[in-house]
Amino acid sequence: MPIVTLTSDWNSDDYYSAAVKGTIINRCPGASVVDITNQVPSFNIALAAFQVKHAYRHFPPETIHIIAVNNASDEKSMFIALKANNHYFIGYDNGIFGLILDSDPEEMVSIEFAGSGTFPEQSAFAHAACEIIINGKLSGLGKPHKDLYKQVLMLPAIDESVINGSVAYVDSYKNAITNITRDLFDQIGKGRTFEIFVQSNHNRIVRLCSKYSDSSPGEMLALFNSLNLLEIAINGGNAAELLNLSLNSSIRIKFKENK
Amino acid sequence: MPIVTLTSDWNSDDYYSAAVKGTIINRCPGASVVDITNQVPSFNIALAAFQVKHAYRHFPPETIHIIAVNNASDEKSMFIALKANNHYFIGYDNGIFGLILDSDPEEMVSIEFAGSGTFPEQSAFAHAACEIIINGKLSGLGKPHKDLYKQVLMLPAIDESVINGSVAYVDSYKNAITNITRDLFDQIGKGRTFEIFVQSNHNRIVRLCSKYSDSSPGEMLALFNSLNLLEIAINGGNAAELLNLSLNSSIRIKFKENK
Amino acid sequence: MPIVTLTSDWNSDDYYSAAVKGTIINRCPGASVVDITNQVPSFNIALAAFQVKHAYRHFPPETIHIIAVNNASDEKSMFIALKANNHYFIGYDNGIFGLILDSDPEEMVSIEFAGSGTFPEQSAFAHAACEIIINGKLSGLGKPHKDLYKQVLMLPAIDESVINGSVAYVDSYKNAITNITRDLFDQIGKGRTFEIFVQSNHNRIVRLCSKYSDSSPGEMLALFNSLNLLEIAINGGNAAELLNLSLNSSIRIKFKENK
């Protein structure tokens, strides 16, 4: 059963998502379309990339991921399809694939799009997904695409004893997920004691929890989450609101200096 | 694989939608239920009709569309099922089908409903969908229904050089989609120069774009969209908010008079 | 076709729901995952229980219901799976199953969970659902679980002529659904005349409607709904807002005393 996922900045009160699903199951009966989310804030490719990056690997190999979020002008040449890590992706060549993928795609084509208009996701993207389902390959969609426009994730700045990171995502529970990986923490920290400053010197954490319940109710805490990213939370509380955290808020870790 | 779509004014935090889906897949294993939207504003049949009108054609022939939005009192006799353009529709005879369909239905029955209560969508509508799936026809559901209650879409008022239209829908990106079709524009305009007044004489557009990127960032623009309806947008901005547009806001086009 | 439902307090703009769906269809191709709702307010097990309680019976026997709402600390031992009324349930042993089920489960196991981290729903719950699909039984998941932690629904207080109930749920239409059943009403009332006081002595209802349209537009009304629960509504209006009703608001019924 072929699987297609859909990520967009359409809200769930628009018919756009249904039109794409209808188009796909009309041409490819038996295909199943699963929403990753249709509630990305308008034009926000960084948040769309975060959602897709952490969801796509859980789907079966050869799943086709349509990503209908664009922050650039809608030029025909921007529609691309690519294969990476044995998954297919269809979207705009607007930098988003550099944010989603850790390595270069194995194959890329530009989607030749006969139609026109303001809703290419229904015409070009759904069409491309069906072509991939039917042919099992990208090559019928258009010419090879050479230069992928890549945006790169904002990475923490580091020196010998400091990691200057930032908030990459605020989740449903209003926990703030940072761009600081466990690997980076271990590599810079080398087991030293540390202080984590959440946005200001007033909010200071000096230990890591392994789960939320390792802290007291109402306590601010830090842990490495299921994505191996440092997460700032408040046990039973709304960290983003109480600590005034949002995308790109500063998270600074200072390790004890070697003397 | 039989397909059923669901459109309602239940929010996605209610169990109503799941109860309808469960009822259908319980009786018709293998059926697939796809949401068009469950976030129509309460009782708003005009917006529900807009969503269904523009989504349903993308689904396979013989898809069954359940529309659970009613603005009238819940009389038993109001449940109907009909066939039009080779799709099935189940809903209330409250005027909505005049808004969705461009032509008369090929067949209509009233749904004979043994149950009672405040949740007929689960009992009567899901039941009717299963009957259509199992029997492949409407006729087992009840007696032929004769007089469809039709509301009609608010159409633009026209004279030789003026189209007085209105906003029919505000989409996810806060673009204002009007009830002015490309055909009407061409028929009245006959290629003449024109001014489009968006709600007041202060907001004036004198050309059509073919895509959003034909305008400058921040510029107010007009284009015919994928539905062939005139759409008012602001490149990279929120047109509905910045121009104070909502359902039924006035959009007036004045063509240069012939002398 | 195996069916899994998903109920959570993730919002639909998070990737968590998609990660769980992907994990299930990756391991169990052909399984179908249906959302009950992913918009339970954070940590609110009472509202999650209400949704699941009234939705699950509509699904086919042997459907697996994942409930990812927890208000307690995330201890490993809390993951359980159980079978009741020929449906399977997977969730936290946090009291919620006492709110959902009317009788004791037929079978219960604790889920042995090798992984770790902050997202057990993806690792432990999706894994457990697949094991149930593949093996058709609970017993491979872990040891029998003995003592279910049960919270109980807040029930009305009663005496010979009074029922003191409360609002259990506010639905999409802002109708207030109470915890007063038709059975209780009949048992205490014995056909006597009555007054229903909605939150205060100022809001008084003295008859039952059988449907919304039995009242005048704008009129406050009471009826027993499709769940056989007393519901307070305003015909065409927003009862919760106009009457200031929310979870646990008082609904008092006074029957005429026998003399």
Side-chain angles (χ1 to χ4, degrees):
Chain A
M1 198 164 81
I3 310 289
V4 180
T5 79
L6 186 53
T7 302
S8 78
D9 55 0
W10 311 324
N11 291 304
S12 50
D13 52 355
D14 259 339
Y15 71 92
Y16 299 146
S17 161
V20 168
K21 290 175 188 168
T23 302
I24 291 171
I25 57 183
N26 192 3
R27 182 132 176 256
C28 296
S32 187
V33 187
V34 178
D35 295 312
I36 291 183
T37 174
N38 292 302
Q39 302 193 323
V40 174
S42 298
F43 317 123
N44 194 324
I45 66 166
L47 285 183
F50 187 92
Q51 308 278 24
V52 175
K53 182 186 186 75
H54 297 300
Y56 89 84
R57 287 171 199 271
H58 298 293
F59 284 86
E62 316 239 311
T63 295
I64 300 163
H65 305 278
I66 293 179
I67 309 165
V69 181
N70 196 12
N71 60 350
S73 55
D74 55 345
E75 295 301 323
K76 181 173 166 181
S77 63
M78 294 189 63
F79 306 146
I80 59 171
L82 53 86
K83 191 171 187 182
N85 297 322
N86 212 17
H87 286 252
Y88 293 101
F89 298 86
I90 296 171
Y92 294 91
D93 186 17
N94 56 13
I96 195 169
F97 292 110
L99 302 174
I100 294 171
L101 301 171
D102 294 325
S103 55
D104 282 336
E106 296 141 33
E107 197 185 346
M108 280 191 290
V109 299
S110 58
I111 299 173
E112 278 167 30
F113 173 50
S116 70
T118 58
F119 189 18
E121 290 84 1
Q122 187 270 320
S123 40
F125 288 6
H127 169 81
C130 290
E131 289 292 313
I132 296 171
I133 291 171
I134 291 166
N135 301 322
K137 57 176 185 167
L138 290 179
S139 55
L141 290 174
K143 297 201 183 103
H145 184 68
K146 287 293 191 305
D147 297 304
L148 186 65
Y149 169 42
K150 283 191 198 171
Q151 287 197 2
V152 287
L153 284 174
M154 191 184 294
L155 292 177
I158 53 175
D159 70 17
E160 268 183 11
S161 299
V162 173
I163 301 174
N164 278 315
S166 57
V167 172
Y169 186 66
V170 174
D171 82 357
S172 292
Y173 301 102
K174 306 302 173 194
N175 300 325
I177 300 174
T178 74
N179 62 354
I180 300 170
T181 64
R182 187 193 290 269
D183 282 353
L184 183 69
F185 183 88
D186 290 345
Q187 176 200 324
I188 304 292
K190 298 188 183 74
R192 291 180 284 174
T193 60
F194 59 87
E195 298 169 287
I196 301 173
F197 297 103
V198 178
Q199 188 122 268
S200 86
N201 290 342
H202 300 297
N203 301 318
R204 181 171 158 273
I205 302 171
V206 297
R207 67 181 183 115
L208 291 174
C209 294
S210 65
K211 50 189 193 295
Y212 300 116
S213 55
D214 287 345
S215 64
S216 313
E219 188 182 344
M220 179 172 64
L221 66 108
L223 51 71
F224 283 102
N225 66 15
S226 59
L227 304 171
N228 277 321
L229 294 173
L230 187 73
E231 179 177 318
I232 308 299
I234 287 180
N235 189 341
N238 178 329
E241 190 176 300
L242 292 169
L243 301 169
N244 196 23
L245 297 174
S246 58
L247 210 60
N248 298 327
S249 293
S250 159
I251 307 294
R252 175 184 170 89
I253 306 177
K254 198 156 180 290
F255 295 94
K256 185 170 183 166
E257 304 222 10
N258 295 318
K259 301 199 179 170
Chain B
M1 199 164 79
I3 309 290
V4 180
T5 78
L6 186 53
T7 302
S8 78
D9 55 1
W10 312 323
N11 290 305
S12 49
D13 51 355
D14 260 339
Y15 71 92
Y16 299 145
S17 161
V20 168
K21 289 174 188 170
T23 301
I24 291 170
I25 57 183
N26 193 3
R27 183 134 175 253
C28 296
S32 187
V33 188
V34 178
D35 296 311
I36 291 184
T37 175
N38 292 301
Q39 304 194 320
V40 173
S42 299
F43 318 122
N44 194 324
I45 65 167
L47 284 183
F50 188 93
Q51 307 279 24
V52 176
K53 183 186 186 74
H54 296 300
Y56 90 85
R57 287 172 200 271
H58 298 293
F59 284 86
E62 315 238 314
T63 295
I64 300 164
H65 305 278
I66 293 180
I67 308 165
V69 181
N70 195 12
N71 60 349
S73 55
D74 54 346
E75 295 301 324
K76 182 172 164 182
S77 62
M78 293 189 63
F79 307 146
I80 58 171
L82 53 86
K83 190 170 187 183
N85 297 322
N86 212 17
H87 286 252
Y88 293 102
F89 299 85
I90 296 171
Y92 295 90
D93 186 17
N94 56 13
I96 196 169
F97 292 110
L99 302 174
I100 295 171
L101 300 171
D102 294 325
S103 55
D104 282 337
E106 296 141 33
E107 197 184 344
M108 280 192 290
V109 298
S110 58
I111 298 173
E112 276 166 31
F113 173 49
S116 70
T118 57
F119 190 18
E121 289 84 0
Q122 188 270 318
S123 40
F125 288 7
H127 169 81
C130 290
E131 289 293 313
I132 296 171
I133 290 171
I134 292 165
N135 301 322
K137 57 178 184 167
L138 290 179
S139 54
L141 289 175
K143 297 201 183 102
H145 184 69
K146 287 292 192 306
D147 297 305
L148 185 65
Y149 170 42
K150 283 192 199 172
Q151 289 197 2
V152 286
L153 284 174
M154 190 185 294
L155 292 178
I158 53 176
D159 70 17
E160 268 184 12
S161 299
V162 173
I163 301 174
N164 279 315
S166 57
V167 172
Y169 186 67
V170 174
D171 83 357
S172 292
Y173 300 102
K174 306 305 176 192
N175 300 325
I177 300 174
T178 74
N179 62 355
I180 302 170
T181 63
R182 187 193 289 268
D183 283 352
L184 183 69
F185 183 90
D186 289 345
Q187 176 200 323
I188 305 291
K190 298 188 183 74
R192 291 180 284 174
T193 60
F194 59 86
E195 298 169 287
I196 302 174
F197 296 103
V198 179
Q199 187 120 272
S200 86
N201 289 341
H202 300 296
N203 300 318
R204 179 170 160 274
I205 302 172
V206 298
R207 68 181 182 116
L208 291 174
C209 294
S210 66
K211 51 187 191 296
Y212 301 117
S213 57
D214 287 345
S215 63
S216 314
E219 187 182 344
M220 179 172 65
L221 66 109
L223 53 69
F224 283 101
N225 66 15
S226 60
L227 305 171
N228 276 323
L229 294 172
L230 186 74
E231 179 177 320
I232 307 298
I234 288 180
N235 188 341
N238 178 328
E241 189 176 301
L242 292 169
L243 301 170
N244 196 23
L245 297 174
S246 58
L247 210 60
N248 298 328
S249 294
S250 158
I251 307 295
R252 176 184 170 89
I253 306 177
K254 196 156 182 291
F255 294 94
K256 183 167 184 168
E257 305 221 10
N258 296 318
K259 303 203 179 169
Chain C
M1 198 163 80
I3 309 289
V4 180
T5 78
L6 186 52
T7 302
S8 78
D9 55 0
W10 311 325
N11 291 304
S12 50
D13 51 357
D14 259 339
Y15 72 92
Y16 299 145
S17 160
V20 169
K21 290 175 188 168
T23 301
I24 292 171
I25 57 182
N26 194 2
R27 183 132 175 257
C28 296
S32 187
V33 187
V34 178
D35 296 311
I36 290 184
T37 173
N38 292 302
Q39 302 194 322
V40 174
S42 298
F43 318 122
N44 194 324
I45 66 167
L47 285 183
F50 187 93
Q51 308 278 23
V52 176
K53 183 186 185 75
H54 297 300
Y56 90 85
R57 286 172 201 272
H58 297 293
F59 284 86
E62 316 239 313
T63 294
I64 301 164
H65 305 278
I66 293 180
I67 309 165
V69 181
N70 196 12
N71 60 349
S73 57
D74 55 344
E75 295 302 322
K76 180 173 163 183
S77 62
M78 294 188 61
F79 306 146
I80 59 172
L82 53 86
K83 190 171 187 181
N85 297 323
N86 212 17
H87 285 252
Y88 293 102
F89 298 85
I90 297 171
Y92 294 90
D93 185 17
N94 57 12
I96 195 169
F97 292 110
L99 302 174
I100 295 172
L101 300 171
D102 294 325
S103 56
D104 282 337
E106 296 142 33
E107 196 184 347
M108 279 191 290
V109 299
S110 58
I111 299 173
E112 279 167 29
F113 173 49
S116 70
T118 58
F119 190 17
E121 289 84 0
Q122 188 269 320
S123 39
F125 288 6
H127 169 81
C130 290
E131 289 293 313
I132 296 172
I133 290 171
I134 292 166
N135 300 322
K137 57 176 185 170
L138 290 179
S139 54
L141 290 175
K143 298 203 182 100
H145 184 68
K146 287 291 191 301
D147 297 304
L148 186 65
Y149 170 41
K150 283 193 198 170
Q151 288 198 2
V152 287
L153 284 175
M154 190 185 294
L155 292 178
I158 54 176
D159 70 17
E160 269 184 10
S161 299
V162 173
I163 300 174
N164 278 317
S166 57
V167 173
Y169 187 67
V170 174
D171 82 356
S172 291
Y173 300 102
K174 305 304 174 193
N175 300 325
I177 299 174
T178 75
N179 62 354
I180 301 169
T181 63
R182 185 193 292 267
D183 282 352
L184 183 69
F185 183 89
D186 290 345
Q187 176 201 322
I188 304 292
K190 299 187 182 74
R192 291 180 283 174
T193 60
F194 58 87
E195 298 169 287
I196 301 173
F197 297 103
V198 178
Q199 187 122 269
S200 87
N201 290 340
H202 299 298
N203 300 318
R204 180 171 159 272
I205 303 172
V206 296
R207 67 182 184 115
L208 290 174
C209 294
S210 64
K211 50 188 193 294
Y212 301 116
S213 56
D214 288 344
S215 64
S216 314
E219 188 182 344
M220 179 171 64
L221 66 110
L223 52 71
F224 283 102
N225 65 16
S226 59
L227 304 171
N228 277 322
L229 294 172
L230 186 72
E231 179 177 321
I232 308 297
I234 288 180
N235 188 342
N238 178 329
E241 189 176 301
L242 293 169
L243 302 169
N244 196 23
L245 297 174
S246 57
L247 211 60
N248 298 327
S249 294
S250 159
I251 306 294
R252 176 185 169 87
I253 307 177
K254 199 158 180 288
F255 294 95
K256 183 168 185 168
E257 304 221 11
N258 296 319
K259 300 199 182 173

